Amino acid sequence: GEDESGLRSLLRGLSMADTGGHSLTITFAVRACFSVKLAYSYSLMSFIYRLIEIGNPILSDQIHNYQRHHRRDYDAPPPFKFFTFGRLNGRAIINRGQIRFIKQATFEVRSPDKAIIDAIIAGLVKRQRFTFMDNTVDVIGFSYQKTDLQHVHRLVTRTLSPITVYRTESAGKTIYFHPQQPEFIELIVRNMTLKYRSFYGFSPKPALDVHLVPDGIIKKTVTTFKRVLVTAYDCELELVGAPDLLQFAYDTGLGAKNSNGFGMFKIIHSV
């Protein structure tokens, strides 16, 4: 129909677009409402993987097996999937550990890898009805955005999904860090350098410069992902770096577990 034709036209247009700054906002709809658990990130991640698998099975295998952007100078593939996504948004009622969305909900997914966005769109072209946490949902549309940061050197940001950074001790205990601890910033910078090097084959010079915005919001979230408790923080950060590094940070997210729905941010101000 007309909707499918429009999706195909957009997909053709994207195939000619340059890299960087690709994001999609996808809209779910049901006839009345649908309920999800507060800890829905795993299900949303699985939905994204399903779209990639439908749209491009070969790419899906590469992502699952960590074969995409795996550089030969690594002893083992780095654990990066190179996409991130935000929270579900929409009119909702929260009650007893459940979020009840009224009629529809949207969420955003980003990637520095245009092939991933292309695969998601191709998946949407081929199929629009899905089961999501025991709900039958229809994808009634999506909007494509391109955010170009090629002349930007400084960003003031606010999280759209919380940032998590941590260290695992030899005994297996995971230590999560608060934004006001120096390790929080140090691990964000180290993680970004590793992701950038994995994707491009060389490290960013200089590395990303990150500062906590004075008097900015800091909000702790403890959520469950695959039966594991994850501590994460919504906060405001200033990022300084080369335009391509800031673009990469925007597309991949900050901190760890980006493909699990952590570390997406919006831009409050840019210079």
Side-chain angles (χ1 to χ4, degrees), residues 12 18 151 200 209 224:
R12 283 196 298 273
D18 56 355
H151 300 299
Y200 289 112
D209 192 13
T224 304

Side-chain angles (χ1 to χ4, degrees), residues 86-160:
R87 293 178 168 105
L88 285 170
N89 295 301
R91 285 180 55 213
I93 301 165
I94 300 176
N95 186 33
R96 297 181 182 178
Q98 296 261 331
I99 309 175
R100 188 178 177 90
F101 287 96
I102 311 301
K103 293 197 174 179
Q104 65 182 46
T106 65
F107 75 97
E108 183 179 359
V109 57
R110 296 180 194 158
S111 177
D113 187 344
K114 189 170 69 67
I116 290 177
I117 298 297
D118 284 351
I120 293 170
I121 295 172
L124 292 169
V125 169
K126 293 176 181 177
R127 184 171 162 188
Q128 290 83 45
R129 178 161 289 183
F130 298 87
T131 299
F132 181 74
M133 297 189 87
D134 299 325
N135 302 279
T136 298
V137 298
D138 292 313
V139 175
I140 59 169
F142 67 85
S143 60
Y144 166 76
Q145 303 87 32
K146 182 163 174 59
T147 301
D148 190 344
L149 303 178
Q150 64 176 329
H151 300 299
V152 174
H153 294 270
R154 175 179 167 270
L155 299 175
V156 178
T157 71
R158 181 180 297 145
T159 49
L160 291 172

Side-chain angles (χ1 to χ4, degrees), residues 10 14 18 50 87 98 132 177 199 227-228 236 259:
L10 180 54
L14 281 179
D18 56 355
R50 183 76 183 112
R87 293 178 168 105
Q98 296 261 331
F132 181 74
F177 295 102
F199 193 82
R227 301 180 186 174
V228 175
E236 296 175 7
S259 64

Side-chain angles (χ1 to χ4, degrees), residues 238-258:
E238 179 186 22
L239 311 179
V240 180
D244 68 304
L245 179 55
L246 294 179
Q247 182 76 66
F248 186 76
Y250 182 82
D251 294 341
T252 58
L254 298 172
K257 299 182 180 291
N258 302 134

